[in-house]
Amino acid sequence: MLTPGEKLWNGATVTPQLAAAYNAIQARIEAFRAEGKPAPEQLLNGAHNLIAGAV
């Protein structure tokens, strides 16, 4: 989970909006895992793209 104000590996600072979006995706990923199912690829890619695209 991300926290607003946190610094990312790419130098970006986490905004409240980025934290909310990323954490929502992570919660959905964890819901799949809790059921013993793999998370859909689009959720994994979405989480990655949010972080990679942060400025």
Side-chain angles (χ1 to χ4, degrees), residues 29-37:
I29 289 170
E30 289 306 317
F32 279 94
R33 291 180 177 160
E35 293 180 3
K37 299 177 182 176

Side-chain angles (χ1 to χ4, degrees), residues 1-26:
M1 296 298 190
L2 293 180
T3 304
E6 184 177 351
K7 289 283 188 186
L8 299 176
W9 58 268
N10 60 3
T13 301
V14 176
T15 63
Q17 297 84 359
L18 175 60
Y22 181 83
N23 293 342
I25 290 174
Q26 288 302 320

